[in-house]
Amino acid sequence: MTDISPVPLTIEGASVLHQVFEFDWKAWRGSPDRHRILEEATAALRELEPGKQSEGDQPKTVQSALYSVLGHKGDLMLVHFRDSVEDLNRIELALAQTAFHSFLRPKFSYLSIVELSLYESSRKTYASLAEQGLEQHSPEWNAAIEKVLDRQREAMAQRLFPSIPAAKHICFYPMDRLRTGKQNWYALPLDQRQQLMHDHGMIGRRYGDRVRQIISGSIGLDDWEWGVDLFADDPVVFKQLIYEMRFDEASSLYADFSSFYVGIRLPIDQLEAWTEGRIGDAS
Amino acid sequence: MTDISPVPLTIEGASVLHQVFEFDWKAWRGSPDRHRILEEATAALRELEPGKQSEGDQPKTVQSALYSVLGHKGDLMLVHFRDSVEDLNRIELALAQTAFHSFLRPKFSYLSIVELSLYESSRKTYASLAEQGLEQHSPEWNAAIEKVLDRQREAMAQRLFPSIPAAKHICFYPMDRLRTGKQNWYALPLDQRQQLMHDHGMIGRRYGDRVRQIISGSIGLDDWEWGVDLFADDPVVFKQLIYEMRFDEASSLYADFSSFYVGIRLPIDQLEAWTEGRIGDAS
Amino acid sequence: MTDISPVPLTIEGASVLHQVFEFDWKAWRGSPDRHRILEEATAALRELEPGKQSEGDQPKTVQSALYSVLGHKGDLMLVHFRDSVEDLNRIELALAQTAFHSFLRPKFSYLSIVELSLYESSRKTYASLAEQGLEQHSPEWNAAIEKVLDRQREAMAQRLFPSIPAAKHICFYPMDRLRTGKQNWYALPLDQRQQLMHDHGMIGRRYGDRVRQIISGSIGLDDWEWGVDLFADDPVVFKQLIYEMRFDEASSLYADFSSFYVGIRLPIDQLEAWTEGRIGDAS
Amino acid sequence: MTDISPVPLTIEGASVLHQVFEFDWKAWRGSPDRHRILEEATAALRELEPGKQSEGDQPKTVQSALYSVLGHKGDLMLVHFRDSVEDLNRIELALAQTAFHSFLRPKFSYLSIVELSLYESSRKTYASLAEQGLEQHSPEWNAAIEKVLDRQREAMAQRLFPSIPAAKHICFYPMDRLRTGKQNWYALPLDQRQQLMHDHGMIGRRYGDRVRQIISGSIGLDDWEWGVDLFADDPVVFKQLIYEMRFDEASSLYADFSSFYVGIRLPIDQLEAWTEGRIGDAS
Amino acid sequence: MTDISPVPLTIEGASVLHQVFEFDWKAWRGSPDRHRILEEATAALRELEPGKQSEGDQPKTVQSALYSVLGHKGDLMLVHFRDSVEDLNRIELALAQTAFHSFLRPKFSYLSIVELSLYESSRKTYASLAEQGLEQHSPEWNAAIEKVLDRQREAMAQRLFPSIPAAKHICFYPMDRLRTGKQNWYALPLDQRQQLMHDHGMIGRRYGDRVRQIISGSIGLDDWEWGVDLFADDPVVFKQLIYEMRFDEASSLYADFSSFYVGIRLPIDQLEAWTEGRIGDAS
């Protein structure tokens, strides 16, 4: 056993819930109360916006956004960022109180927590603490690590508790790192993973002006290890970025992908227009 | 790191949505308003035809086609080519406004964007820019690449924004390139992939007079990496072409296939006849 | 590149559709019109029998058969052999016109085309044409191949457009040839595949008096590469034959199996008895 | 090709059908006719007991048993042993005639035939016939084999047409033998498989007083190769036996498992008590 | 064959059932009898609490807890610890008697038995018995083993029949040990597995003050080999602990994970508040 932990230092931020619903168009078309139901729903969804949710401490993050989803995987996607998993459950229960909820059939959801993996900092910190002769997980080592994490949490607060980008399109997908035969991410030394993540990040950086990315971790929370949200005005960029990344070793050798959900931002106030078949008219 | 990017130059065209529906025959047989519902549906589906959709700029591509699908995977398939993902979502919402939609249960869909991979051009361009000493992703390199892409986009405009072939049968299937152990497409050098795609294309060329092919990319858009549409008057050709290709290294070693959807072209005006059990009577 | 194609010469015959339905017993028990519905259904199903279907050219094959399926995968299976995919779609639409169809829930289907792989003939023909110095896919080569195929199509007409055997039991299953690592059927030389198929066929021959087999190809038509229909009076033979074949290299190394559907032949005239719980009384 | 067949001699007995149903508790609670429906169902299920079924030859095996299933995979499981697949289908159709059937939703089923693999006998017989110079599958060889099988069928009649053990709990699971890379059961020589099955059997023997096992083969009949039924008064023994076996090479290297179904024996006469929430009161 | 068994000594305790239900919010909102239904349900769920269940011997464990589940996998999860599988089935049937059950749709369940794997004790015991010249599975060997197990069962009684921790959050997931190629847990020598489990346990110990863990075995009982329940006040700890463990060889090489279910403890008395959208108000 070396003095270098294989586990990258990681800091966590907002709790995240993605909810994908199929809309029961048939029941909706037959419903006599559409306008009243939409008024109640729109009010409830507006309640999810900043500053309304928590009555205790001022929450760091109250961010929800609605998207019109492409294809049969669903019709509407809600993305929520909150301070806690419990707050996310409260949103689910609040939504379930509305009449609009009767027209929503849950098709998919994803629970995760915004995270930043501090690969470069991990490598340096572990090396430095090893040089100082501190034993891993000793009280001194723990204290030193905690100090690094605290400093990073403060420096990265805006990325840990992000605002939802205003971009017109979203692309969400869960993913794993492979653990099969020689393609075992978790058996690689930290140094190598740091290098792979660095190269991977360099591709993302070249797309930085066209796409915003939020990574959330879901090990122990949902069925894949990470959730990735991409936000862009032009959805072709999703394809270009992820295609280019697929040739990167971090992806070509070590990534396993689940389903991809693509949606178009739907301001709450345009929900009624959406039910009538209109989208993006104001843009 | 070499100066040769592994990523083939790729140009994009029309946004594509495949929609597969099961038809609720039981409810249909019990519906008193069949004729009126069909009139409304036929009118709405005709609206999807060229020149009606967009009110802003003249769209490059407004192409939709309807197919009668074989087997339990669905009864009807709609294939749409449009200028944007947003336009595709508008089609979904427009269809959801019709009474006919109550008889359609979504079974499958696929979102993709027509693409052409310029393998030969990539190889030459990357080599030439490397010879000129241009660093990858430098402003000069980017400008040179963009120039190549623009020239190709113009030259290939008809293939990027294609008309839907009038052939009697369609075969649609999504597919991946493998990334397992030694069968890792994304870990092959560009030269080798170029050669494999060239050999692969030679098979297709021999079938050129009997089958038309449209490739669309879906990395970052849907659950597989590519969608393939084949159009042919004789469906036996689908089997012969894909069987022959399966022995090709690009397929035998590196292709992973999903479901196959086979359908028979159904002109909008024959939708009523279709509901009454008649198909292809005019052919 | 050698002058020997890896693709075996293959001839095609009848188009085939398997339809597996769950029967809605609950709705059926509650239906007041059972007798009338059965009369209409029985008449429609009899229409599927020889000589009634096509009004144009005399079809080579109009063969349909009904089976009572074991287990929860379905209750009824219809197997149709026709001249074209379009004719198969017409059957689906015709069935959908009956009231009986309201009690059928589609659970599975399979689209394929009867095929014979001419491995021995391929090996000899390719070798002979190579000796003659004909280049693959040259006009002369193509003409010579087409001549072989035509001769075989004529000689094999009865196997390409088969009658459905009268045997009491059916066993249907789709299957693939593997393409994983060293178990890659499509990467084997034609000679080796010819030998494996020969050994495989020798097992089948020993069961020839107890079981009839029809192979149909479904690459490009459905989700597996082949469909296999076995017909036997004693269903134990299905188990014995397929178990013995599993030790054969063609199966042990290169076969991947999907679901198995086992049914008991149900003459159309016994459909009413079947709904009342009686089967095989006359046998 | 050696004179030793890789296929173990195998003898077959009763045809077996497992049926797993979800019980529609909601509809049941709302049904006014519960008592009458239960009377009819109990009578029908009693009909499945010995001596009532066949009117022709006296059947060797008429054994059915009912189980209350744990968890969401189902509520009730029926296990039937009969002389033929056709008799099993008759049971399905008979059950479908009852009003009780309206409350049963099929969740799973499994079709198989009781079998005994005569590994030790195979090895000896094949060796002895080879010594005698008999060619495999020659008429003399076939006759000699048939004689061995007949002798074994007679000796093993009770195990081939077993009574359902009275034990309080059942554990049913389908399984395959692997055929992947080096873990290919079907590519092992018969001798080695015989040794592995012998070691495997030795573990079972140590549990012989606490658990009864019935193996049925389902190659060519259902989606896995074998079905395993274990019967025990104490369900902890299922876990202990199968855990111990998992370290055995026959399992650790060559077994692939599907779902496990665990149930508690429910005498027909206690079906009404079961619907009222009581189970095992008499035990 | 060595005298060292590969099977770790294992002791079993309480039988466990996890039940995950979707709540039919639409039907609930439309139900006129909500208050009465909740009164009955709350009473029935309270019956599941200690001391009410069994009328025979005093049960060692009667522990049930209710959780509000995150996401579309379900809305409510019930976790039951009992003395027997039969008692667990009684709970299912008791719940099915309530009107509240009509609003619950089973989505998932898991049957298992609390277990402790005595790796260190196994190694020592097996070595000592081998030194004494006792043959494995001989009566003397069995007696000696049984003595060790009895002693451990007594010492570990509280962990075998645990109380459900009062922590605010639960994380439940089933898992397997891999048996593929070189990553075959069951083919490792006992010594190596003991070392891997020891290292694995050391990580858990560091989280001991923040998370409680209960391991139950499900080989032969359900579709995965083990069920893991984690209990913590802060759900971020689930992610941190399991992420850190994933780098451990026991997980990185040998673990295969299924779905993860995360919930928030819901005291029975707050069920009505939950249906009205309130959760955790008292905390």
Side-chain angles (χ1 to χ4, degrees), chain C residues 29 68 70-73 168 171 183 206 239-240 243 246-247 251-253 255 259-260 275-277 279-280, chain D residues 8 12 86 89-90 92-93 96-98 101-102 109 115 137 179 181 184 186 193 219-220 222-223 225:
Chain C
R29 280 184 301 262
S68 176
L70 270 290
H72 76 297
K73 290 176 203 161
K168 198 166 170 178
C171 167
Q183 293 174 261
R206 279 193 280 108
K239 176 177 165 303
Q240 291 168 336
Y243 186 38
R246 196 140 303 179
F247 291 94
S251 294
S252 71
L253 293 184
S259 286
F260 287 76
T275 63
E276 294 166 357
I279 187 171
Chain D
E12 283 93 3
E86 196 172 7
N89 196 213
R90 281 196 188 98
E92 292 186 88
L93 296 173
Q97 305 301 312
T98 67
H101 187 267
S102 294
S109 69
E115 79 171 29
H137 307 305
R179 291 181 294 115
N184 192 326
Y186 295 93
R193 276 178 283 126
I219 288 182
D222 217 317
D223 301 0
E225 298 178 342

Side-chain angles (χ1 to χ4, degrees), chain A residues 213-231:
Chain A
Q213 173 182 282
I214 297 174
I215 302 290
S216 49
S218 45
I219 288 182
L221 300 174
D222 217 317
D223 300 0
W224 295 76
E225 298 178 342
W226 282 277
V228 180
D229 280 290
L230 302 180
F231 302 87

Side-chain angles (χ1 to χ4, degrees), chain C residues 112-125:
Chain C
S112 54
I113 294 180
V114 175
E115 78 170 30
L116 292 170
S117 283
L118 310 169
Y119 272 102
E120 308 214 10
S121 177
S122 303
R123 216 169 48 110
K124 289 180 200 161
T125 305

Side-chain angles (χ1 to χ4, degrees), chain A residues 21-33:
Chain A
F21 298 103
E22 192 172 23
F23 188 65
D24 186 348
W25 288 104
K26 185 177 176 180
W28 181 254
R29 280 185 301 262
S31 165
D33 290 328

